[in-house]
Amino acid sequence: MTGSSSQARIGWIGLGVMGAPMCGHLLDAGYSVTVNTRTRATAEPLLNRGAVWADTPAEVAESAGVIFAIVGFPADVREVFLGAHGALAGAAAGAVLIDMTTSEPQLEVEIAEAAAAKGIAALDAPVSGGDAGARNATLSIMVGGDAATLERVRPLLEILGKTIVHQGPAGAGQHAKMVNQILIASTMVGVCEALLYAYKAGLDLDTVLEAVASGAAGSWSLSNYTPRMLAGDFEPGFAVDHFIKDMGIALDEARRMRLSVPGLALAEQLYVALSAEGYGRKGTQSLVLALARLSDIDWAEVTASA
Amino acid sequence: MTGSSSQARIGWIGLGVMGAPMCGHLLDAGYSVTVNTRTRATAEPLLNRGAVWADTPAEVAESAGVIFAIVGFPADVREVFLGAHGALAGAAAGAVLIDMTTSEPQLEVEIAEAAAAKGIAALDAPVSGGDAGARNATLSIMVGGDAATLERVRPLLEILGKTIVHQGPAGAGQHAKMVNQILIASTMVGVCEALLYAYKAGLDLDTVLEAVASGAAGSWSLSNYTPRMLAGDFEPGFAVDHFIKDMGIALDEARRMRLSVPGLALAEQLYVALSAEGYGRKGTQSLVLALARLSDIDWAEVTASA
């Protein structure tokens, strides 16, 4: 590590199914990028494309003016930003921290306050669009934090996504992402129940889906997930255990705000059952398997009928 | 009444918010139409446009080769088709009965069998698209019954709707409509919970909705109902009590088929609570008021903030 701070150099923490392609877009755009992720081997493809390795998030931050992270769970976010070897320990005054993980709104407020005390700006900028959005740089990015800071880093975010919208102060990006996940949760329950009803009623599944998808019953989930379900394709996409994490955050926040969200709570419980059956790393469209099992329906027979 | 049977003359039973504009389209297309509805005064505008009144569904059927009905509840469907003065009592061999009410699949099977015994064909052909779809002739029509019979009457259905799809034997049209309603039920729960979460989290509602509506969280309900909710516009569209009727049929059918549909059951209970508060004749977007009340949120304050 050079140890020198540079506005032009980017830091990137977290090279999972989302982070790796996103970081790759910055390399492709000609930026110098220092990277850290849990397992160094994961970084090799990016190191081969010119990224520089750092042993800790703090070291990443020492070399960079803008430091991104997209990791797993709120505990990971806390560690990579606020931990003893976290980005905040290494970042210089004037740096910008950008958390793209879907995480707790209150934690983002905490990070922003800790950063501000050191003259550092922090944004929460979770994304929607899944792994395909990360690969194709078509993510929707929901940003919380100082609006002027967002404008400083907007050119970088535009390399990663298509829609970048300021949602309010620190934590507001996460709250907006929760709105997104709350919508998806109940919509997916409806999609799965409707599909299973159609099967039990003996309807031709393609015919009925075609009839309803373009009308008032239509949704992105219906149009995009039912073909995968009917093909027996349960690969992620967006993994069940990550969705459970997101719904848990939303339920915690709703409880804190004294907001009753029975539809979200039901969806979360069905996803927990699905994960208990071993589908935690499969895609969220697997929900249909949990609902099929509730009614003793063998999904293989459904796909065979489609 | 002439009492003479004629292929060219159409019969129409039920002139509510859906039936009146649909019947009007047939008049506009040049068809001779005999009508009956519960309250004769309701028919006056159509009588002034050339429709002929009949005192009972049976009399309607005596004059017509194709007899449509779109009434309220399954009990009404039973009466207007199978009652002592119902359409089947008046229809001649070779006639076609078309029930466009959203009703019970098993009742449609019963009607089709009773009709067949008299050499009469029957189709179930419930619609989606609401009152706007009825007015603009853009309905989606889901048809159950004999496919050849559908082809005979397709030119008439094409005057009423945009998408006409054969879904299978008698009752299959109703089952397809149930698939449609199951999708809408849970999607609406998600829309309402997401909107209330956004409000409680202090987000700018228009900004967050714009960010999520075009992505994986998007749905017809989100795009079309949230503007009405935020404008405090709870007029129907599609009335709460009719949706409760539809969900009740779907729940009955699911129970009969031994299919567990917890999302639908939850949505139905929330709508029942909404109707109990006096919103039965308001639009289905009123659901947000039931969920707001659960968390002691004054919706007027939400609309004032939007």
Side-chain angles (χ1 to χ4, degrees):
Chain A
M1 295 303 308
T2 67
S4 72
S5 177
S6 157
Q7 274 300 127
R9 183 166 274 275
I10 305 293
W12 195 280
I13 302 159
L15 297 172
V17 66
M18 299 294 290
M22 292 165 77
C23 181
H25 293 316
L26 293 174
L27 285 170
D28 290 345
Y31 285 92
S32 303
V33 185
T34 303
V35 301
N36 171 263
T37 194
R38 192 172 291 165
T39 310
R40 180 169 172 150
T42 314
E44 289 299 340
L46 289 160
L47 300 179
N48 292 337
R49 289 162 65 186
V52 173
W53 176 257
D55 284 332
T56 67
E59 278 187 28
V60 168
E62 282 168 17
S63 75
V66 178
I67 302 102
F68 292 89
I70 183 160
V71 292
F73 290 81
D76 305 315
V77 171
R78 181 176 291 281
E79 186 189 342
V80 303
F81 282 109
L82 303 178
H85 304 286
L88 196 56
V96 180
L97 309 179
I98 306 177
D99 183 19
M100 305 193 80
T101 320
T102 296
S103 180
E104 297 165 352
Q106 294 302 311
L107 177 55
E108 306 294 348
V109 173
E110 190 181 336
I111 292 169
E113 289 176 353
K118 295 183 67 172
I120 294 166
L123 300 175
D124 50 297
V127 303
S128 73
D131 59 338
R135 282 195 307 274
N136 303 326
T138 55
L139 295 167
S140 174
I141 308 178
M142 293 155 269
V143 185
D146 179 56
T149 302
L150 168 58
E151 294 317 311
R152 276 173 60 200
V153 300
R154 187 182 285 275
L156 295 173
L157 295 176
E158 283 173 344
I159 295 167
L160 306 176
K162 209 169 55 175
T163 312
I164 297 114
V165 182
H166 185 246
Q167 296 291 344
Q174 299 296 351
H175 278 309
K177 180 67 186 286
M178 292 302 119
V179 169
N180 192 78
Q181 304 304 67
I182 292 168
L183 286 163
I184 292 172
S186 285
T187 303
M188 283 297 290
V189 172
V191 166
C192 297
E193 290 183 0
L195 202 49
L196 291 166
Y197 181 100
Y199 169 70
K200 290 286 271 189
L203 296 176
D204 181 86
L205 299 179
D206 290 329
T207 301
V208 67
L209 291 172
E210 189 194 328
V212 302
S214 61
S219 64
W220 190 97
S221 293
L222 181 66
S223 297
N224 287 272
Y225 282 132
T226 51
R228 298 190 213 178
M229 293 174 188
L230 292 175
D233 172 10
F234 296 112
E235 291 310 301
F238 182 51
V240 165
D241 280 349
H242 283 118
F243 195 33
I244 289 174
K245 181 254 297 184
D246 294 359
M247 289 187 286
I249 294 169
L251 287 166
D252 285 348
E253 288 294 319
R255 186 180 302 111
R256 187 183 63 76
M257 302 188 297
R258 289 293 182 265
L259 177 71
S260 176
V261 283
L264 175 62
L266 171 62
E268 192 255 5
Q269 289 296 298
L270 292 168
Y271 272 105
V272 167
L274 181 64
S275 183
E277 287 195 52
Y279 286 86
R281 287 161 179 261
K282 295 293 185 180
T284 51
Q285 70 274 24
S286 311
L287 181 66
V288 77
L289 300 174
L291 281 153
R293 191 179 173 96
L294 265 187
S295 298
D296 199 30
I297 295 167
D298 180 351
W299 187 254
E301 287 181 19
V302 181
T303 56
S305 79
Chain B
M1 296 300 309
T2 66
S4 72
S5 177
S6 157
Q7 273 301 125
R9 182 166 275 274
I10 305 292
W12 195 281
I13 302 160
L15 297 172
V17 65
M18 299 294 290
M22 293 166 77
C23 180
H25 293 315
L26 293 174
L27 285 170
D28 290 345
Y31 285 92
S32 303
V33 185
T34 303
V35 301
N36 172 263
T37 193
R38 192 172 292 165
T39 311
R40 178 168 174 154
T42 314
E44 289 298 340
L46 288 160
L47 300 180
N48 292 337
R49 289 162 65 188
V52 173
W53 176 256
D55 284 331
T56 65
E59 278 188 28
V60 168
E62 282 168 17
S63 75
V66 179
I67 303 102
F68 291 89
I70 183 161
V71 293
F73 291 82
D76 303 316
V77 171
R78 180 176 292 280
E79 186 188 343
V80 303
F81 282 109
L82 303 178
H85 304 286
L88 197 55
V96 181
L97 309 179
I98 306 177
D99 183 18
M100 307 194 80
T101 319
T102 296
S103 181
E104 298 165 352
Q106 294 302 313
L107 177 55
E108 306 294 347
V109 173
E110 189 180 337
I111 292 169
E113 289 175 353
K118 296 183 65 173
I120 294 165
L123 300 175
D124 49 300
V127 302
S128 73
D131 59 338
R135 282 195 307 274
N136 303 326
T138 55
L139 294 168
S140 174
I141 308 177
M142 293 156 268
V143 185
D146 177 57
T149 303
L150 168 57
E151 294 317 310
R152 277 174 59 199
V153 298
R154 186 181 286 274
L156 294 173
L157 295 177
E158 284 174 345
I159 295 167
L160 306 175
K162 209 168 55 176
T163 312
I164 296 114
V165 182
H166 185 247
Q167 296 290 343
Q174 298 296 350
H175 277 309
K177 179 68 187 284
M178 292 301 120
V179 168
N180 191 78
Q181 303 305 66
I182 291 168
L183 287 163
I184 292 173
S186 286
T187 303
M188 283 298 290
V189 172
V191 166
C192 296
E193 290 184 1
L195 202 49
L196 291 166
Y197 181 101
Y199 168 71
K200 290 286 270 190
L203 297 175
D204 181 87
L205 299 179
D206 289 329
T207 301
V208 67
L209 291 173
E210 189 194 328
V212 302
S214 60
S219 65
W220 191 97
S221 292
L222 181 68
S223 297
N224 287 272
Y225 282 131
T226 51
R228 297 190 213 178
M229 293 174 188
L230 292 175
D233 171 10
F234 296 112
E235 292 309 301
F238 182 52
V240 165
D241 279 349
H242 283 117
F243 195 32
I244 290 174
K245 179 255 294 183
D246 294 359
M247 289 187 286
I249 294 168
L251 286 166
D252 284 347
E253 288 295 318
R255 185 180 305 111
R256 187 183 62 76
M257 303 188 295
R258 288 294 182 262
L259 177 71
S260 176
V261 282
L264 175 63
L266 171 63
E268 192 254 4
Q269 288 296 298
L270 292 168
Y271 271 105
V272 168
L274 181 65
S275 183
E277 287 194 52
Y279 286 87
R281 288 163 177 259
K282 295 294 184 178
T284 51
Q285 71 274 25
S286 310
L287 181 65
V288 77
L289 300 174
L291 281 153
R293 190 180 175 96
L294 265 187
S295 298
D296 199 29
I297 295 167
D298 180 351
W299 186 254
E301 288 180 18
V302 181
T303 56
S305 79

